[in-house]
Amino acid sequence: PLVMLAGLAIFTTLLETIGFVAAATLLFVITAWGLGSRRIVRDLLIGLAVCVAAYFLFAVGLGLRLPIGTVFT
């Protein structure tokens, strides 16, 4: 549980800097690791796919603007 709490803290800290997709993917990987997964590459790919889909659902489907990050602009 503390690992997942740390992941949430990292997510909120990095959201504006690295953007929603990267921060949420990192949160997914940290949460999966906290729940016992040790397949980092698989978790990274699944997390990236889910977060990209969520980004487009929110951005295109709902018209909401999520942070893309200052690193990538």
Side-chain angles (χ1 to χ4, degrees), residues 2-72:
L2 291 177
V3 172
M4 291 179 271
L5 185 60
L8 187 59
I10 291 168
F11 172 78
T12 57
T13 303
L14 295 177
L15 182 60
E16 290 293 325
T17 306
I18 65 174
F20 174 79
V21 173
T25 300
L26 184 59
L27 175 62
F28 185 92
V29 171
I30 292 170
T31 302
W33 189 80
L35 291 172
S37 175
R38 296 302 180 251
R39 295 180 166 180
I40 303 298
V41 175
R42 181 197 66 181
D43 297 337
L44 183 67
L45 294 174
I46 292 171
L48 184 62
V50 169
C51 295
V52 167
Y55 180 83
F56 282 110
L57 176 69
F58 279 101
V60 176
L62 298 175
L64 299 174
R65 295 189 57 169
L66 296 173
I68 60 169
T70 57
V71 173
F72 304 109

